[in-house]
């Protein structure tokens, strides 16, 4: 129970930290937004149905913050898309995006139900992984808190992902982007800390380097959030920043994996490199960006699904890593 409360408190802390920045943002239009029949459909729908507020919206949709204008927008997206699909040949790509997103079929009021489901699976993979760390890594071990930190960032990131894919608002979009950015940057922080063993207190210069590296990461993330929030909500910049940080840590873990396997040729020492390869293959799904199958599953949701197994696998490596470190310390003693 205490563990659950502690993790929930950490997630709420992230929500509070990002709340102000999340209220500031811009939205980009898509091809579907400019279609004359879509605009006409939305206006007619609002005129005929929205005079009495949201009373025509079912209660379960109002719980998910659907309003009458939003309901008209959603309905017209599918009306226009169905017309285009029945009228145009497939090579003309009749399915277009609206407000930067494909026209998904919602379930229980969730805009992208399978992205929500697969985000939940990632959340559970982190939750279970943290339980394994807590059960198998003693409290005195210096890596324990950093490995648990990886889990907390993962829990927060996937919580924000579930919120955003459930309902796309400016604040949920900000939380999703900032949570993902924090998780990616913490991955880089952890890679440098673990590979160069900055978690150790000896030699004396390591604690100083650790504090300096922590300061650098916090500063970079703060500048990143401030730029997106108060200067320009730049999707391209955000993507490039996350890709660069991800590439650096992937290179570090791959090189570490090769070096360690050469010194200690056991299968588990090669796991980081294998996990990186899996993640890269899963990320390639994002490049496809095809319309959702039956309005439900698209490339982005499959990318979320593709990260579940490597996340669970990663925690297996973290446990093995600490166990091997403790065995080495016993041999030295």
């Amino acid at each position: 129970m205490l563990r659950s409360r502690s993790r929930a408190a950490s997630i709420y802390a992230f929500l509070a930290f990002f709340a102000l920045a999340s209220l500031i943002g811009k939205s980009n239009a898509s091809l579907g937004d400019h279609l004359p029949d879509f605009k006409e459909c939305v206006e007619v729908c609002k005129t005929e149905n929205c005079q009495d507020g949201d009373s025509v919206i079912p209660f379960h949709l109002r719980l998910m913050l659907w309003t009458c204008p939003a309901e008209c927008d959603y309905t017209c997206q599918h009306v226009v898309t169905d017309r285009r699909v029945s009228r145009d040949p497939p090579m003309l790509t009749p399915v277009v995006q609206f407000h930067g997103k494909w026209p998904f079929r919602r379930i229980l009021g969730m805009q992208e139900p399978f992205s929500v489901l697969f985000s939940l699976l990632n959340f559970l993979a982190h939750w279970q992984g943290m339980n394994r760390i807590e059960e198998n890594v003693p409290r005195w071990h210096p890596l324990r808190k950093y490995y648990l930190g990886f889990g907390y960032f993962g829990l927060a990131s996937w919580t924000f992902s579930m919120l955003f894919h459930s309902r796309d608002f400016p604040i949920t979009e900000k939380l999703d982007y900032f949570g993902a950015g924090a998780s990616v940057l913490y991955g880089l922080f952890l890679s440098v800390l673990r590979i160069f063993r900055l978690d150790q207190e000896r030699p004396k210069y390591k604690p100083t380097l650790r504090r300096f590296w922590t300061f650098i990461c916090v500063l970079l993330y703060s500048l990143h959030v401030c730029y997106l929030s108060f200067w320009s909500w730049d999707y391209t910049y955000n993507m490039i920043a996350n890709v660069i940080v991800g590439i650096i840590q992937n290179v570090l873990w791959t090189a570490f994996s090769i070096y360690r396997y050469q010194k200690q040729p056991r299968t588990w020492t090669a796991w980081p490199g294998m996990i990186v390869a899996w993640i890269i293959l899963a990320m390639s799904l994002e490049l496809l960006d095809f319309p959702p199958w039956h309005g439900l599953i698209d490339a982005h949701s499959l990318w979320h699904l593709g990260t579940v197994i490597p996340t669970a696998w990663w925690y297996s490596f973290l446990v093995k890593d600490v166990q091997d470190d403790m065995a080495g310390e016993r041999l030295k003693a």
Side-chain angles (χ1 to χ4, degrees):
M1 181 65 71
L2 290 176
R3 291 177 185 172
S4 300
R5 290 178 179 174
S6 176
R7 290 174 191 174
S10 299
I11 294 172
Y12 295 148
F14 270 97
L15 285 166
F17 180 80
F18 297 132
L20 174 62
S22 301
L23 295 173
I24 303 173
K26 301 175 183 178
S27 62
N28 292 336
S30 301
L31 176 59
D33 307 356
H34 300 293
L35 295 175
D37 47 349
F38 172 71
K39 293 180 179 180
E40 181 182 0
C41 176
V42 172
E43 289 303 318
V44 170
C45 177
K46 289 194 292 187
T47 300
E48 294 182 355
N49 299 289
C50 298
Q51 302 304 315
D52 298 325
D54 299 327
S55 58
V56 297
I57 307 298
F59 179 71
H60 75 282
L61 293 180
R62 277 183 278 158
L63 284 177
M64 293 293 291
L65 304 182
W66 286 93
T67 63
C68 186
E71 183 72 9
C72 284
D73 191 285
Y74 169 82
T75 302
C76 288
Q77 287 185 33
H78 290 284
V79 168
V80 170
T81 298
D82 291 344
R83 285 177 184 168
R84 288 169 59 86
V85 169
S86 62
R87 181 186 64 209
D88 299 333
M91 66 282 298
L92 294 181
T93 59
V95 180
V96 296
Q97 293 188 343
F98 299 83
H99 315 300
K101 301 173 78 72
W102 294 110
F104 290 91
R105 298 286 179 182
R106 69 190 176 198
I107 297 178
L108 299 176
M110 294 182 291
Q111 286 179 277
E112 300 175 62
F114 278 88
S115 287
V116 175
L117 173 61
F118 298 151
S119 295
L120 174 61
L121 294 181
N122 279 280
F123 179 95
L124 295 176
H126 279 283
W127 188 277
Q128 180 60 30
M130 292 180 70
N131 287 335
R132 295 182 61 191
I133 295 292
E134 291 174 335
E135 292 169 1
N136 294 281
V137 180
R139 291 182 179 276
W140 55 262
H141 198 281
L143 285 172
R144 175 187 163 101
K145 62 182 178 181
Y146 298 108
Y147 286 174
L148 287 176
F150 176 79
Y152 284 120
F153 275 89
L155 292 180
S157 174
W158 290 110
T159 297
F160 298 149
S161 177
M162 285 186 282
L163 290 173
F164 172 59
H165 291 301
S166 293
R167 289 292 280 121
D168 180 0
F169 296 117
I171 186 171
T172 57
E173 181 182 43
K174 294 280 189 178
L175 290 171
D176 180 49
Y177 277 52
F178 294 158
S183 183
V184 171
L185 187 57
Y186 187 86
L188 176 61
F189 168 80
L190 182 64
S191 65
V192 172
L193 182 132
R194 169 59 190 92
I195 292 171
F196 300 104
R197 291 313 303 263
L198 299 184
D199 59 296
Q200 297 177 336
E201 299 300 320
R202 295 287 185 273
K204 292 183 178 180
Y205 65 84
K206 284 196 173 181
T208 301
L209 285 179
R210 182 174 66 245
R211 287 190 290 269
F212 179 71
W213 176 232
T214 302
F215 171 77
I216 291 296
C217 289
V218 171
L219 176 63
L220 288 176
Y221 183 69
S222 299
L223 292 174
H224 174 72
V225 170
C226 288
Y227 174 78
L228 288 173
S229 302
F230 307 113
W231 186 262
S232 173
W233 182 247
D234 190 332
Y235 292 92
T236 302
Y237 156 75
N238 181 73
M239 180 187 67
I240 292 174
N242 281 280
V243 167
I244 290 175
V245 172
I247 288 175
I248 294 173
Q249 65 175 293
N250 286 344
V251 169
L252 287 172
W253 282 119
T254 302
F256 175 70
S257 183
I258 294 171
Y259 169 78
R260 195 168 184 186
Y261 185 78
Q262 290 174 341
K263 287 189 63 178
Q264 195 177 0
R266 299 178 186 174
T267 303
W268 71 268
T269 59
W271 285 356
M274 297 177 185
I275 293 169
V276 165
W278 186 313
I279 294 294
I280 292 174
L281 287 175
M283 283 186 64
S284 65
L285 290 169
E286 287 277 59
L287 301 177
L288 302 177
D289 195 27
F290 51 81
W293 296 331
H294 304 291
L296 295 172
I297 300 178
D298 69 331
H300 185 75
S301 64
L302 290 178
W303 148 239
H304 285 342
L305 177 63
T307 58
V308 176
I309 292 178
T311 297
W313 191 4
W314 180 248
Y315 281 99
S316 296
F317 165 74
L318 297 183
V319 171
K320 282 278 191 183
D321 181 51
V322 171
Q323 291 174 340
D324 181 71
D325 186 62
M326 291 190 297
E329 291 298 322
R330 285 195 294 268
L331 286 175
K332 291 179 183 178

